[in-house]
Amino acid sequence: MSAKPAEGSIMTMAETIREKLNAAFAPLALDVEDESARHEGHSGARPGGETHFNVRIVSEAFEGLSRVERQRRIYAALSEELKVRVHALSLTTLTPAEAWNEH
């Protein structure tokens, strides 16, 4: 369950990504890391950051899908963010069985 920002406050891009992926994929696990600070001075970096993200998501919705198709679905869910603000998105998309096999 994602925490909502206080009334009147603006959601960070990480919160927006988290909310959209939760709604689209009902993940069992979701980690969204803002890596923008690591990319200062690089292409696509903007003052204030919120441009480069690392996402790890575990969802039953990925069962039977190729890695490429999983990524396409993530990109579709975040299409507005990718058009406007997000420059780079590193994805790890796993089924529950694949996540279990990591251990």
Side-chain angles (χ1 to χ4, degrees):
M1 182 135 340
S2 65
K4 294 282 186 186
E7 186 149 340
S9 68
I10 297 173
M11 286 177 44
T12 66
M13 185 56 64
E15 290 168 337
T16 299
I17 290 170
R18 218 174 271 109
E19 184 174 271
K20 286 195 167 192
L21 295 181
N22 273 318
F25 300 101
L28 301 174
L30 176 60
D31 296 311
V32 179
E33 182 184 357
D34 185 346
E35 296 184 329
S36 302
R38 295 182 193 160
H39 298 277
E40 282 184 36
H42 297 168
S43 175
R46 295 186 187 104
E50 296 196 309
T51 56
H52 294 70
F53 293 89
N54 182 24
V55 174
R56 182 181 184 279
I57 181 170
V58 178
S59 176
E60 292 176 353
F62 299 138
E63 294 286 348
L65 300 178
S66 70
R67 181 181 55 84
V68 171
E69 183 57 31
R70 295 172 190 189
Q71 291 180 355
R72 283 184 183 139
R73 293 187 184 195
I74 297 282
Y75 295 147
L78 300 175
S79 63
E80 289 304 311
E81 291 69 26
L82 290 164
K83 286 180 200 172
V84 177
R85 183 85 184 167
V86 176
H87 174 73
L89 191 61
S90 173
L91 298 173
T92 301
T93 57
L94 303 169
T95 65
E98 291 166 340
W100 175 257
N101 288 333
E102 283 185 335
H103 302 292

Coordinates of all heavy atoms in Angstrom, one line a residue:
M1 N 0.8 -1.2 0.0 CA 0.0 0.0 0.0 C 0.9 1.2 0.0 O 1.8 1.3 0.8 CB -0.9 0.0 1.2 CG -1.8 1.1 1.3 SD -3.6 0.9 1.7 CE -4.0 -0.7 1.5
S2 N 0.6 2.2 -0.9 CA 1.4 3.4 -1.0 C 0.9 4.5 -0.1 O -0.3 4.6 0.1 CB 1.5 3.9 -2.4 OG 0.3 4.3 -2.9
A3 N 1.8 5.2 0.5 CA 1.4 6.3 1.3 C 1.1 7.5 0.5 O 1.8 7.8 -0.5 CB 2.6 6.7 2.3
K4 N 0.0 8.2 0.8 CA -0.4 9.4 0.1 C 0.3 10.6 0.7 O 0.4 10.7 1.9 CB -2.0 9.6 0.2 CG -2.8 8.5 -0.5 CD -2.8 8.7 -2.0 CE -3.7 7.7 -2.7 NZ -3.6 7.8 -4.1
P5 N 0.7 11.5 -0.2 CA 1.3 12.7 0.4 C 0.2 13.5 1.2 O -1.0 13.4 0.9 CB 1.8 13.5 -0.8 CG 1.0 12.9 -2.0 CD 0.6 11.6 -1.6
A6 N 0.7 14.4 2.1 CA -0.2 15.2 2.8 C -1.0 16.1 1.9 O -0.6 16.5 0.8 CB 0.5 16.1 3.8
E7 N -2.2 16.4 2.2 CA -3.1 17.3 1.4 C -2.4 18.6 1.0 O -1.8 19.2 1.9 CB -4.4 17.6 2.1 CG -5.4 18.3 1.2 CD -6.8 18.0 1.5 OE1 -7.1 17.0 2.2 OE2 -7.6 18.8 1.1
G8 N -2.4 18.9 -0.2 CA -1.8 20.2 -0.7 C -0.4 20.0 -1.1 O 0.2 20.9 -1.7
S9 N 0.3 18.8 -0.8 CA 1.6 18.6 -1.1 C 1.7 17.9 -2.5 O 0.7 17.3 -3.0 CB 2.4 17.8 -0.1 OG 1.9 16.5 -0.1
I10 N 2.8 18.0 -3.2 CA 3.0 17.5 -4.5 C 3.7 16.1 -4.3 O 4.7 16.0 -3.6 CB 3.7 18.4 -5.4 CG1 2.9 19.7 -5.5 CG2 4.0 17.8 -6.7 CD1 3.7 20.8 -6.3
M11 N 3.2 15.1 -5.1 CA 3.9 13.8 -5.0 C 5.2 13.9 -5.7 O 5.4 14.6 -6.8 CB 3.0 12.8 -5.7 CG 1.8 12.4 -4.9 SD 0.7 11.2 -5.7 CE 1.8 10.0 -6.4
T12 N 6.2 13.2 -5.2 CA 7.5 13.1 -5.9 C 7.3 12.2 -7.1 O 6.3 11.4 -7.2 CB 8.6 12.5 -5.0 OG1 8.2 11.1 -4.7 CG2 8.8 13.3 -3.8
M13 N 8.2 12.2 -8.0 CA 8.1 11.3 -9.2 C 8.2 9.8 -8.7 O 7.5 9.0 -9.3 CB 9.2 11.6 -10.2 CG 9.1 10.8 -11.5 SD 7.5 10.9 -12.3 CE 7.5 12.6 -12.8
A14 N 9.0 9.5 -7.7 CA 9.1 8.2 -7.2 C 7.7 7.7 -6.7 O 7.3 6.6 -6.9 CB 10.2 8.1 -6.1
E15 N 7.0 8.6 -6.0 CA 5.7 8.3 -5.5 C 4.7 8.1 -6.6 O 3.9 7.1 -6.5 CB 5.2 9.4 -4.5 CG 6.0 9.5 -3.2 CD 5.7 10.8 -2.4 OE1 5.3 11.8 -3.0 OE2 5.9 10.7 -1.2
T16 N 4.8 8.9 -7.6 CA 3.9 8.7 -8.8 C 4.2 7.4 -9.5 O 3.2 6.7 -9.8 CB 4.1 9.9 -9.8 OG1 3.8 11.1 -9.1 CG2 3.3 9.7 -11.0
I17 N 5.4 7.1 -9.7 CA 5.8 5.8 -10.3 C 5.3 4.6 -9.4 O 4.6 3.7 -10.0 CB 7.3 5.7 -10.5 CG1 7.8 6.6 -11.6 CG2 7.7 4.2 -10.8 CD1 9.3 6.8 -11.7
R18 N 5.5 4.7 -8.1 CA 5.0 3.7 -7.2 C 3.5 3.5 -7.3 O 3.0 2.4 -7.4 CB 5.4 4.0 -5.8 CG 5.8 2.9 -5.0 CD 6.4 3.3 -3.6 NE 7.8 3.5 -3.6 CZ 8.4 4.7 -3.5 NH1 7.7 5.8 -3.4 NH2 9.7 4.9 -3.6
E19 N 2.8 4.6 -7.3 CA 1.3 4.6 -7.3 C 0.8 3.9 -8.6 O -0.1 3.1 -8.6 CB 0.8 6.0 -7.2 CG -0.8 6.0 -7.1 CD -1.3 7.4 -6.8 OE1 -1.4 7.8 -5.6 OE2 -1.5 8.2 -7.8
K20 N 1.4 4.4 -9.8 CA 0.9 3.8 -11.1 C 1.2 2.4 -11.2 O 0.4 1.6 -11.7 CB 1.6 4.6 -12.2 CG 0.9 6.0 -12.3 CD 1.3 6.6 -13.6 CE 0.4 7.8 -13.9 NZ 0.5 8.3 -15.3
L21 N 2.4 1.9 -10.8 CA 2.8 0.5 -10.9 C 2.0 -0.3 -9.9 O 1.6 -1.5 -10.3 CB 4.3 0.3 -10.7 CG 5.2 1.0 -11.7 CD1 6.6 0.7 -11.4 CD2 4.8 0.5 -13.1
N22 N 1.7 0.2 -8.7 CA 0.8 -0.6 -7.8 C -0.6 -0.8 -8.5 O -1.2 -1.9 -8.4 CB 0.7 0.2 -6.5 CG 1.7 -0.2 -5.5 OD1 2.1 -1.4 -5.4 ND2 2.3 0.8 -4.8
A23 N -1.1 0.3 -9.1 CA -2.4 0.2 -9.7 C -2.5 -0.7 -10.9 O -3.4 -1.5 -11.1 CB -2.9 1.6 -10.1
A24 N -1.4 -0.7 -11.7 CA -1.4 -1.5 -12.9 C -1.0 -3.0 -12.7 O -1.5 -3.8 -13.5 CB -0.4 -0.9 -13.9
F25 N -0.2 -3.3 -11.7 CA 0.4 -4.6 -11.6 C 0.1 -5.3 -10.3 O 0.5 -6.5 -10.1 CB 1.9 -4.6 -11.9 CG 2.2 -4.1 -13.3 CD1 2.6 -2.8 -13.5 CD2 2.0 -4.9 -14.4 CE1 2.9 -2.3 -14.7 CE2 2.3 -4.4 -15.7 CZ 2.7 -3.1 -15.8
A26 N -0.5 -4.7 -9.3 CA -0.7 -5.2 -8.0 C 0.5 -6.1 -7.5 O 0.4 -7.3 -7.3 CB -2.0 -6.1 -8.0
P27 N 1.7 -5.4 -7.5 CA 2.9 -6.2 -7.2 C 3.0 -6.7 -5.8 O 2.4 -6.2 -4.8 CB 4.0 -5.2 -7.4 CG 3.4 -3.8 -7.2 CD 1.9 -4.0 -7.6
L28 N 3.7 -7.9 -5.6 CA 3.9 -8.4 -4.3 C 5.1 -7.7 -3.7 O 5.2 -7.7 -2.5 CB 4.3 -9.9 -4.5 CG 3.1 -10.8 -5.1 CD1 3.6 -12.2 -5.3 CD2 1.9 -10.7 -4.3
A29 N 6.0 -7.2 -4.5 CA 7.1 -6.4 -4.0 C 7.4 -5.3 -5.1 O 7.3 -5.5 -6.3 CB 8.3 -7.2 -3.9
L30 N 7.7 -4.1 -4.6 CA 8.0 -3.0 -5.5 C 9.0 -2.0 -4.8 O 8.7 -1.5 -3.7 CB 6.7 -2.2 -5.8 CG 6.9 -0.9 -6.7 CD1 7.5 -1.2 -8.0 CD2 5.5 -0.2 -6.8
D31 N 10.1 -1.8 -5.4 CA 11.1 -0.9 -5.0 C 11.4 0.1 -6.1 O 11.6 -0.3 -7.2 CB 12.4 -1.6 -4.6 CG 12.3 -2.6 -3.5 OD1 11.7 -2.2 -2.5 OD2 12.8 -3.7 -3.6
V32 N 11.3 1.4 -5.7 CA 11.5 2.5 -6.7 C 12.6 3.3 -6.1 O 12.4 3.9 -5.0 CB 10.3 3.3 -7.0 CG1 10.6 4.5 -7.9 CG2 9.2 2.5 -7.5
E33 N 13.8 3.4 -6.7 CA 14.9 4.1 -6.2 C 15.2 5.3 -7.2 O 15.5 5.1 -8.4 CB 16.1 3.2 -6.1 CG 17.4 3.9 -5.5 CD 18.6 3.0 -5.5 OE1 18.5 1.8 -5.8 OE2 19.6 3.5 -5.1
D34 N 15.3 6.5 -6.6 CA 15.7 7.7 -7.4 C 17.2 7.7 -7.5 O 17.8 8.0 -6.5 CB 15.1 8.9 -6.8 CG 15.3 10.2 -7.6 OD1 16.2 10.1 -8.6 OD2 14.7 11.2 -7.3
E35 N 17.7 7.5 -8.6 CA 19.2 7.5 -8.8 C 19.7 8.7 -9.5 O 20.8 8.8 -10.0 CB 19.6 6.2 -9.6 CG 19.3 4.9 -8.9 CD 19.8 3.7 -9.7 OE1 19.9 3.8 -11.0 OE2 20.2 2.8 -9.1
S36 N 18.9 9.8 -9.5 CA 19.2 11.0 -10.3 C 20.5 11.6 -9.8 O 21.3 12.1 -10.6 CB 18.0 12.0 -10.1 OG 16.9 11.4 -10.6
A37 N 20.8 11.6 -8.5 CA 22.0 12.2 -8.0 C 23.2 11.6 -8.6 O 24.3 12.3 -8.8 CB 22.0 12.1 -6.5
R38 N 23.2 10.3 -8.9 CA 24.3 9.7 -9.5 C 24.6 10.1 -11.0 O 25.6 9.8 -11.5 CB 24.1 8.2 -9.5 CG 24.0 7.6 -8.2 CD 23.9 6.1 -8.3 NE 23.5 5.5 -7.0 CZ 22.9 4.4 -6.8 NH1 22.7 3.6 -7.8 NH2 22.6 4.0 -5.6
H39 N 23.6 10.8 -11.5 CA 23.7 11.2 -13.0 C 23.8 12.7 -13.2 O 23.7 13.1 -14.3 CB 22.5 10.6 -13.7 CG 22.4 9.1 -13.6 ND1 23.1 8.3 -14.5 CD2 21.7 8.3 -12.8 CE1 22.8 7.0 -14.2 NE2 22.0 7.0 -13.2
E40 N 24.1 13.4 -12.1 CA 24.3 14.9 -12.3 C 25.3 15.2 -13.3 O 26.4 14.5 -13.3 CB 24.7 15.5 -11.0 CG 23.5 15.7 -10.0 CD 23.9 16.4 -8.8 OE1 24.7 17.3 -8.8 OE2 23.4 16.0 -7.7
G41 N 25.0 16.1 -14.2 CA 26.0 16.4 -15.3 C 25.9 15.6 -16.5 O 26.5 15.8 -17.5
H42 N 25.1 14.5 -16.4 CA 25.0 13.6 -17.6 C 23.8 14.0 -18.4 O 22.9 14.7 -18.0 CB 24.7 12.1 -17.1 CG 25.9 11.6 -16.4 ND1 25.8 10.4 -15.6 CD2 27.2 12.0 -16.2 CE1 27.0 10.1 -15.1 NE2 27.8 11.1 -15.4
S43 N 23.7 13.4 -19.6 CA 22.5 13.7 -20.5 C 21.2 13.3 -19.8 O 21.1 12.3 -19.1 CB 22.7 12.8 -21.7 OG 21.5 12.9 -22.5
G44 N 20.3 14.2 -19.9 CA 18.9 14.0 -19.3 C 18.8 14.4 -17.9 O 17.7 14.5 -17.4
A45 N 19.9 14.7 -17.2 CA 19.8 15.1 -15.8 C 19.3 16.5 -15.8 O 19.6 17.4 -16.6 CB 21.2 15.0 -15.2
R46 N 18.4 16.8 -14.8 CA 17.9 18.2 -14.6 C 18.1 18.6 -13.2 O 18.2 17.8 -12.3 CB 16.3 18.1 -14.9 CG 16.0 17.7 -16.3 CD 14.4 17.9 -16.5 NE 14.1 17.4 -17.8 CZ 13.5 16.2 -18.0 NH1 13.2 15.4 -17.0 NH2 13.2 15.8 -19.2
P47 N 18.1 20.0 -13.1 CA 18.2 20.5 -11.7 C 17.0 19.9 -10.9 O 15.9 19.9 -11.4 CB 18.1 22.0 -11.9 CG 18.5 22.2 -13.3 CD 18.1 21.0 -14.1
G48 N 17.2 19.5 -9.7 CA 16.2 19.0 -8.9 C 16.0 17.5 -9.0 O 15.2 16.9 -8.3
G49 N 16.7 16.9 -10.0 CA 16.7 15.4 -10.1 C 15.3 14.9 -10.6 O 14.7 15.5 -11.4
E50 N 15.0 13.7 -10.0 CA 13.8 13.0 -10.4 C 13.7 12.7 -11.9 O 12.7 12.7 -12.5 CB 12.5 13.8 -10.0 CG 12.4 13.9 -8.5 CD 11.0 14.3 -8.0 OE1 10.5 15.3 -8.6 OE2 10.5 13.6 -7.1
T51 N 14.9 12.2 -12.4 CA 15.0 11.9 -13.8 C 15.4 10.5 -14.1 O 15.1 9.9 -15.2 CB 15.9 12.9 -14.5 OG1 17.2 12.8 -13.9 CG2 15.4 14.3 -14.5
H52 N 16.1 9.9 -13.2 CA 16.7 8.5 -13.3 C 16.3 7.6 -12.2 O 16.5 8.0 -11.0 CB 18.2 8.6 -13.3 CG 18.8 9.4 -14.5 ND1 18.7 10.7 -14.6 CD2 19.5 8.9 -15.5 CE1 19.3 11.1 -15.7 NE2 19.9 10.0 -16.3
F53 N 15.6 6.5 -12.6 CA 15.1 5.6 -11.6 C 15.4 4.2 -11.8 O 15.6 3.7 -13.0 CB 13.5 5.7 -11.6 CG 13.1 7.1 -11.1 CD1 12.9 8.1 -12.0 CD2 12.8 7.3 -9.7 CE1 12.5 9.4 -11.5 CE2 12.4 8.6 -9.3 CZ 12.3 9.6 -10.2
N54 N 15.6 3.4 -10.7 CA 15.8 2.0 -10.7 C 14.5 1.4 -10.1 O 14.2 1.7 -9.0 CB 17.0 1.6 -10.0 CG 17.3 0.1 -10.0 OD1 16.9 -0.6 -10.9 ND2 18.0 -0.4 -9.0
V55 N 13.9 0.5 -10.8 CA 12.6 -0.1 -10.4 C 12.8 -1.7 -10.3 O 13.3 -2.3 -11.3 CB 11.4 0.2 -11.3 CG1 10.2 -0.6 -10.9 CG2 11.2 1.7 -11.3
R56 N 12.5 -2.3 -9.2 CA 12.4 -3.7 -9.1 C 11.0 -4.0 -8.7 O 10.5 -3.6 -7.7 CB 13.4 -4.2 -8.0 CG 13.4 -5.7 -7.9 CD 14.3 -6.2 -6.8 NE 14.4 -7.7 -6.7 CZ 13.5 -8.4 -6.1 NH1 12.4 -7.9 -5.5 NH2 13.6 -9.7 -6.1
I57 N 10.3 -4.8 -9.5 CA 8.9 -5.2 -9.3 C 8.7 -6.7 -9.5 O 9.2 -7.3 -10.4 CB 8.0 -4.3 -10.3 CG1 6.5 -4.7 -10.0 CG2 8.4 -4.5 -11.7 CD1 5.6 -3.7 -10.8
V58 N 8.0 -7.2 -8.5 CA 7.6 -8.6 -8.5 C 6.1 -8.7 -8.6 O 5.4 -8.2 -7.7 CB 8.1 -9.4 -7.3 CG1 7.7 -10.8 -7.3 CG2 9.6 -9.2 -7.1
S59 N 5.6 -9.3 -9.7 CA 4.1 -9.4 -9.9 C 3.7 -10.7 -10.6 O 4.4 -11.1 -11.6 CB 3.7 -8.2 -10.7 OG 2.3 -8.3 -11.0
E60 N 2.6 -11.2 -10.2 CA 2.0 -12.3 -10.9 C 1.6 -11.9 -12.3 O 1.5 -12.8 -13.2 CB 0.8 -12.9 -10.1 CG 1.2 -13.5 -8.8 CD 0.1 -14.0 -8.0 OE1 -1.1 -13.7 -8.3 OE2 0.3 -14.6 -6.9
A61 N 1.4 -10.6 -12.6 CA 1.0 -10.2 -13.9 C 2.0 -10.5 -15.0 O 1.7 -10.4 -16.2 CB 0.7 -8.7 -13.9
F62 N 3.3 -10.8 -14.6 CA 4.4 -11.0 -15.5 C 4.4 -12.5 -15.9 O 5.3 -12.9 -16.8 CB 5.7 -10.6 -14.9 CG 5.8 -9.1 -14.7 CD1 6.3 -8.6 -13.5 CD2 5.2 -8.2 -15.5 CE1 6.4 -7.3 -13.2 CE2 5.3 -6.8 -15.3 CZ 5.9 -6.4 -14.1
E63 N 3.6 -13.4 -15.3 CA 3.6 -14.8 -15.6 C 3.4 -15.0 -17.1 O 2.5 -14.4 -17.7 CB 2.5 -15.6 -14.8 CG 2.8 -15.6 -13.3 CD 3.8 -16.5 -12.9 OE1 4.3 -17.4 -13.7 OE2 4.2 -16.5 -11.7
G64 N 4.3 -15.8 -17.7 CA 4.1 -16.1 -19.2 C 4.6 -15.0 -20.1 O 4.4 -15.2 -21.3
L65 N 5.1 -13.9 -19.6 CA 5.5 -12.8 -20.5 C 7.0 -12.8 -20.6 O 7.7 -13.1 -19.6 CB 5.0 -11.4 -19.9 CG 3.5 -11.2 -19.8 CD1 3.3 -9.8 -19.2 CD2 2.8 -11.4 -21.1
S66 N 7.5 -12.4 -21.8 CA 8.9 -12.3 -22.0 C 9.4 -11.0 -21.2 O 8.6 -10.2 -20.9 CB 9.3 -12.1 -23.5 OG 8.8 -10.9 -23.9
R67 N 10.7 -11.0 -21.0 CA 11.3 -9.8 -20.4 C 11.0 -8.5 -21.2 O 10.6 -7.5 -20.6 CB 12.8 -10.0 -20.3 CG 13.6 -8.8 -19.6 CD 15.1 -9.0 -19.5 NE 15.7 -9.2 -20.8 CZ 16.1 -8.2 -21.6 NH1 15.9 -7.0 -21.3 NH2 16.6 -8.5 -22.8
V68 N 11.0 -8.6 -22.5 CA 10.7 -7.4 -23.3 C 9.3 -7.0 -23.1 O 8.9 -5.8 -23.0 CB 11.1 -7.7 -24.8 CG1 10.6 -6.6 -25.7 CG2 12.6 -7.9 -25.0
E69 N 8.3 -8.0 -23.1 CA 6.9 -7.7 -23.0 C 6.6 -7.1 -21.6 O 5.8 -6.1 -21.5 CB 6.0 -8.9 -23.2 CG 4.6 -8.6 -23.2 CD 4.1 -7.5 -24.1 OE1 4.7 -7.3 -25.2 OE2 3.1 -6.8 -23.8
R70 N 7.3 -7.5 -20.6 CA 7.1 -7.0 -19.2 C 7.5 -5.5 -19.2 O 6.8 -4.7 -18.7 CB 8.0 -7.8 -18.2 CG 7.6 -9.2 -18.0 CD 8.6 -9.9 -17.2 NE 8.3 -11.4 -17.2 CZ 8.9 -12.2 -16.4 NH1 9.8 -11.8 -15.5 NH2 8.6 -13.5 -16.5
Q71 N 8.7 -5.2 -19.9 CA 9.2 -3.9 -19.9 C 8.2 -3.0 -20.7 O 8.0 -1.8 -20.3 CB 10.6 -3.8 -20.5 CG 11.6 -4.4 -19.5 CD 13.0 -4.4 -20.0 OE1 13.3 -4.1 -21.1 NE2 13.9 -4.9 -19.1
R72 N 7.7 -3.5 -21.8 CA 6.7 -2.7 -22.6 C 5.5 -2.3 -21.8 O 5.0 -1.2 -21.9 CB 6.3 -3.5 -23.8 CG 7.3 -3.6 -24.9 CD 6.7 -4.3 -26.1 NE 7.7 -4.4 -27.2 CZ 7.9 -5.5 -27.9 NH1 7.2 -6.6 -27.7 NH2 8.8 -5.5 -28.8
R73 N 5.1 -3.2 -21.0 CA 3.9 -2.9 -20.1 C 4.2 -1.9 -19.1 O 3.4 -1.1 -18.8 CB 3.3 -4.2 -19.5 CG 2.8 -5.1 -20.6 CD 2.1 -6.3 -20.1 NE 1.6 -7.1 -21.3 CZ 0.8 -8.1 -21.2 NH1 0.2 -8.4 -20.0 NH2 0.4 -8.8 -22.2
I74 N 5.4 -2.0 -18.5 CA 5.8 -0.9 -17.6 C 5.9 0.4 -18.2 O 5.4 1.4 -17.8 CB 7.2 -1.3 -16.9 CG1 7.2 -2.6 -16.1 CG2 7.7 -0.1 -16.1 CD1 6.5 -2.5 -14.8
Y75 N 6.5 0.5 -19.4 CA 6.6 1.7 -20.2 C 5.3 2.3 -20.5 O 5.0 3.5 -20.5 CB 7.5 1.5 -21.5 CG 8.9 1.2 -21.3 CD1 9.6 0.3 -22.2 CD2 9.6 1.6 -20.2 CE1 10.9 0.0 -22.0 CE2 11.0 1.3 -20.0 CZ 11.6 0.5 -20.9 OH 12.9 0.1 -20.7
A76 N 4.3 1.4 -20.9 CA 3.0 1.9 -21.2 C 2.3 2.5 -19.9 O 1.6 3.5 -20.0 CB 2.1 0.7 -21.7
A77 N 2.5 1.8 -18.8 CA 1.9 2.3 -17.5 C 2.5 3.7 -17.1 O 1.8 4.5 -16.5 CB 2.1 1.3 -16.4
L78 N 3.7 3.9 -17.5 CA 4.4 5.2 -17.1 C 4.7 6.1 -18.3 O 5.5 6.9 -18.3 CB 5.8 4.8 -16.5 CG 5.7 4.0 -15.2 CD1 7.1 3.6 -14.7 CD2 4.9 4.7 -14.1
S79 N 3.9 5.9 -19.4 CA 4.1 6.7 -20.6 C 4.1 8.2 -20.4 O 5.0 8.9 -21.0 CB 3.1 6.3 -21.7 OG 1.8 6.7 -21.3
E80 N 3.3 8.7 -19.6 CA 3.2 10.2 -19.4 C 4.5 10.7 -18.7 O 5.1 11.7 -19.1 CB 2.0 10.6 -18.6 CG 0.7 10.5 -19.4 CD 0.8 11.3 -20.7 OE1 1.1 12.5 -20.7 OE2 0.4 10.7 -21.8
E81 N 4.9 9.9 -17.7 CA 6.1 10.3 -17.0 C 7.4 10.2 -17.8 O 8.3 11.0 -17.7 CB 6.3 9.4 -15.7 CG 5.2 9.6 -14.6 CD 3.8 9.2 -15.0 OE1 3.7 8.3 -15.9 OE2 2.9 9.7 -14.5
L82 N 7.4 9.2 -18.7 CA 8.5 9.1 -19.6 C 8.6 10.2 -20.7 O 9.7 10.6 -21.1 CB 8.5 7.7 -20.3 CG 8.8 6.5 -19.3 CD1 8.4 5.2 -20.0 CD2 10.3 6.5 -19.0
K83 N 7.4 10.7 -21.0 CA 7.4 11.8 -22.0 C 7.8 13.1 -21.4 O 8.5 13.9 -22.1 CB 6.0 12.0 -22.5 CG 5.5 11.0 -23.5 CD 4.1 11.3 -23.9 CE 3.3 10.1 -24.5 NZ 1.9 10.4 -24.7
V84 N 7.5 13.3 -20.1 CA 7.7 14.6 -19.5 C 8.9 14.7 -18.7 O 9.7 15.7 -18.8 CB 6.4 15.0 -18.7 CG1 6.6 16.3 -17.9 CG2 5.2 15.0 -19.5
R85 N 9.2 13.8 -17.8 CA 10.2 14.0 -16.7 C 11.2 12.9 -16.6 O 12.4 13.2 -16.4 CB 9.5 14.2 -15.4 CG 10.3 14.5 -14.2 CD 10.6 15.9 -14.1 NE 11.6 16.1 -13.0 CZ 12.2 17.3 -12.8 NH1 12.0 18.3 -13.6 NH2 13.0 17.4 -11.8
V86 N 10.8 11.7 -16.7 CA 11.8 10.6 -16.5 C 12.6 10.4 -17.8 O 12.1 10.2 -18.9 CB 11.0 9.3 -16.2 CG1 12.0 8.1 -16.0 CG2 10.2 9.5 -14.9
H87 N 13.9 10.4 -17.5 CA 14.9 10.3 -18.6 C 15.4 8.8 -18.8 O 15.6 8.3 -19.8 CB 16.1 11.2 -18.4 CG 17.2 11.0 -19.4 ND1 17.1 11.4 -20.7 CD2 18.4 10.4 -19.3 CE1 18.2 11.1 -21.4 NE2 19.0 10.5 -20.6
A88 N 15.6 8.2 -17.6 CA 16.1 6.8 -17.6 C 15.4 5.9 -16.6 O 15.1 6.4 -15.5 CB 17.6 6.8 -17.3
L89 N 15.1 4.7 -17.0 CA 14.3 3.8 -16.1 C 15.0 2.4 -16.3 O 15.0 1.8 -17.3 CB 12.9 3.7 -16.6 CG 11.9 3.0 -15.7 CD1 11.7 3.7 -14.4 CD2 10.5 3.0 -16.4
S90 N 15.6 2.0 -15.2 CA 16.3 0.7 -15.1 C 15.3 -0.3 -14.5 O 14.7 0.0 -13.4 CB 17.5 0.7 -14.3 OG 18.1 -0.5 -14.1
L91 N 15.0 -1.4 -15.2 CA 13.9 -2.3 -14.7 C 14.4 -3.7 -14.4 O 15.1 -4.3 -15.2 CB 12.8 -2.4 -15.8 CG 12.1 -1.1 -16.1 CD1 11.1 -1.4 -17.3 CD2 11.3 -0.6 -15.0
T92 N 13.9 -4.2 -13.3 CA 14.0 -5.6 -13.0 C 12.6 -6.1 -12.8 O 11.9 -5.6 -11.8 CB 14.8 -5.9 -11.7 OG1 16.1 -5.3 -11.9 CG2 14.9 -7.4 -11.4
T93 N 12.1 -6.9 -13.7 CA 10.7 -7.4 -13.6 C 10.7 -8.9 -13.4 O 11.2 -9.6 -14.2 CB 10.0 -7.0 -14.9 OG1 10.7 -7.6 -16.0 CG2 9.9 -5.5 -15.1
L94 N 10.1 -9.3 -12.3 CA 10.1 -10.7 -11.9 C 8.7 -11.3 -11.6 O 7.9 -10.5 -11.1 CB 11.0 -10.9 -10.7 CG 12.4 -10.4 -10.8 CD1 13.1 -10.4 -9.4 CD2 13.2 -11.3 -11.8
T95 N 8.5 -12.5 -11.8 CA 7.4 -13.3 -11.3 C 7.7 -13.7 -9.9 O 8.9 -13.6 -9.5 CB 7.1 -14.5 -12.2 OG1 8.2 -15.4 -12.0 CG2 6.9 -14.2 -13.6
P96 N 6.7 -14.0 -9.1 CA 7.0 -14.5 -7.7 C 8.0 -15.7 -7.7 O 8.9 -15.7 -6.9 CB 5.6 -14.9 -7.2 CG 4.7 -14.0 -7.9 CD 5.3 -13.9 -9.3
A97 N 7.8 -16.6 -8.7 CA 8.7 -17.8 -8.7 C 10.2 -17.3 -9.0 O 11.1 -17.8 -8.4 CB 8.3 -18.8 -9.7
E98 N 10.3 -16.4 -9.9 CA 11.7 -15.9 -10.3 C 12.3 -15.2 -9.0 O 13.5 -15.3 -8.8 CB 11.6 -15.0 -11.5 CG 11.3 -15.7 -12.7 CD 10.9 -14.7 -13.9 OE1 10.5 -13.6 -13.6 OE2 11.0 -15.2 -15.0
A99 N 11.5 -14.4 -8.3 CA 12.0 -13.7 -7.2 C 12.4 -14.7 -6.1 O 13.4 -14.6 -5.4 CB 10.9 -12.7 -6.6
W100 N 11.6 -15.8 -5.9 CA 11.9 -16.8 -5.0 C 13.2 -17.5 -5.3 O 14.0 -17.8 -4.4 CB 10.8 -17.8 -4.9 CG 11.0 -19.0 -4.0 CD1 11.4 -20.2 -4.4 CD2 11.0 -19.0 -2.6 NE1 11.6 -21.0 -3.3 CE2 11.3 -20.3 -2.2 CE3 10.7 -18.0 -1.6 CZ2 11.4 -20.7 -0.8 CZ3 10.8 -18.4 -0.3 CH2 11.1 -19.7 0.1
N101 N 13.5 -17.7 -6.6 CA 14.7 -18.4 -7.0 C 15.9 -17.6 -6.9 O 17.0 -18.1 -7.0 CB 14.5 -18.9 -8.5 CG 13.6 -20.0 -8.7 OD1 13.4 -20.8 -7.7 ND2 12.9 -20.1 -9.8
E102 N 15.8 -16.3 -6.7 CA 16.9 -15.4 -6.4 C 17.6 -15.7 -5.1 O 18.8 -15.4 -4.9 CB 16.5 -13.9 -6.4 CG 16.3 -13.3 -7.7 CD 16.0 -11.8 -7.6 OE1 15.5 -11.3 -6.5 OE2 16.2 -11.1 -8.6
H103 N 16.9 -16.4 -4.2 CA 17.4 -16.6 -2.8 C 18.0 -17.9 -2.7 O 17.9 -18.9 -3.1 CB 16.3 -16.4 -1.8 CG 15.8 -15.0 -1.8 ND1 16.5 -13.9 -1.5 CD2 14.6 -14.6 -2.3 CE1 15.7 -12.8 -1.7 NE2 14.5 -13.2 -2.1

